């Protein structure tokens, strides 16, 4: 059981609406960057290979390939620096951590797309098709 004071602090700083994404999904993480007095949004896109922690301390790791080198970044989900997380593609995986992708290169890093109702991402423009055709 958590300390009540810690629970109150975490509740005050936690984001109200969390994005829905899972391990293996291709995501775009929109991060706020401060350059002097100006603020801009920088996008980091890649595959989610890990999620860990709980509550305010929950983080996720995103991996992508830049000029032949693998780059991984760890983002706190509740960080105020994260403007939004956009799911581009869902991946079907059978593991909680995809660290094995570090050893793979090129087409070997591709993951199968998740099919069915799980593949519909909340907030997307696509609506599931209805069964009745008119």
């Amino acid at each position: 059981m958590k300390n009540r004071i810690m629970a109150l602090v975490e509740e005050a700083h936690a984001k109200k609406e969390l994005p829905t994404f899972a391990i293996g999904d291709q995501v775009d993480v929109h991060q706020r960057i401060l350059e002097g007095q100006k603020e801009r949004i920088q996008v980091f896109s890649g595959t989610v290979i890990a999620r860990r922690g709980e509550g305010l301390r929950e983080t996720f790791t995103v991996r992508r390939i830049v000029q032949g080198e693998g780059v991984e970044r760890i983002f706190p989900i509740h960080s105020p620096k994260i403007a939004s997380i956009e799911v581009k593609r869902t991946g079907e995986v059978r593991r909680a951590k995809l660290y094995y992708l570090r050893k793979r290169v090129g087409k070997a890093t591709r993951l199968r797309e998740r099919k069915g109702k799980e593949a519909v991402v909340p907030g997307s423009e696509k609506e599931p098709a209805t069964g009745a055709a008119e």
Side-chain angles (χ1 to χ4, degrees):
M1 183 170 176
K2 284 192 205 177
N3 185 352
R4 290 183 190 167
I5 297 170
M6 287 295 292
L8 289 173
V9 170
E10 284 188 3
E11 184 180 322
H13 293 287
K15 287 185 178 178
K16 304 298 181 234
E17 295 195 18
L18 288 177
T20 304
F21 64 94
I23 308 298
D25 291 355
Q26 294 277 339
V27 295
D28 285 351
V29 181
H30 299 262
Q31 185 176 20
R32 293 185 183 96
I33 304 288
L34 280 176
E35 292 178 340
Q37 299 296 325
K38 294 184 179 181
E39 182 180 290
R40 67 181 179 88
I41 301 288
Q42 182 172 340
V43 179
F44 188 88
S45 54
T47 305
V48 178
I49 64 168
R51 280 181 83 156
R52 67 172 39 170
E54 65 172 24
L56 209 57
R57 295 174 296 280
E58 186 174 359
T59 61
F60 64 101
T61 306
V62 180
R63 178 177 175 81
R64 74 175 184 179
I65 306 296
V66 178
Q67 297 180 354
E69 284 290 317
V71 177
E72 292 183 8
R73 293 207 45 198
I74 300 172
F75 296 99
I77 289 182
H78 293 281
S79 173
K81 298 267 186 195
I82 303 288
S84 66
I85 300 170
E86 184 180 333
V87 178
K88 292 292 189 185
R89 187 171 176 267
T90 58
E92 181 180 344
V93 293
R94 296 169 63 180
R95 306 240 180 302
K97 306 284 191 279
L98 303 181
Y99 296 143
Y100 67 88
L101 290 179
R102 293 172 176 165
K103 298 176 187 162
R104 299 195 178 185
V105 179
K107 290 185 179 180
T109 60
R110 291 182 300 180
L111 300 170
R112 284 191 308 257
E113 183 138 13
R114 200 175 323 141
K115 305 257 192 284
K117 293 184 180 179
E118 298 176 56
V120 176
V121 178
S124 68
E125 295 80 27
K126 299 176 193 171
E127 292 294 324
T130 57
E134 295 180 59

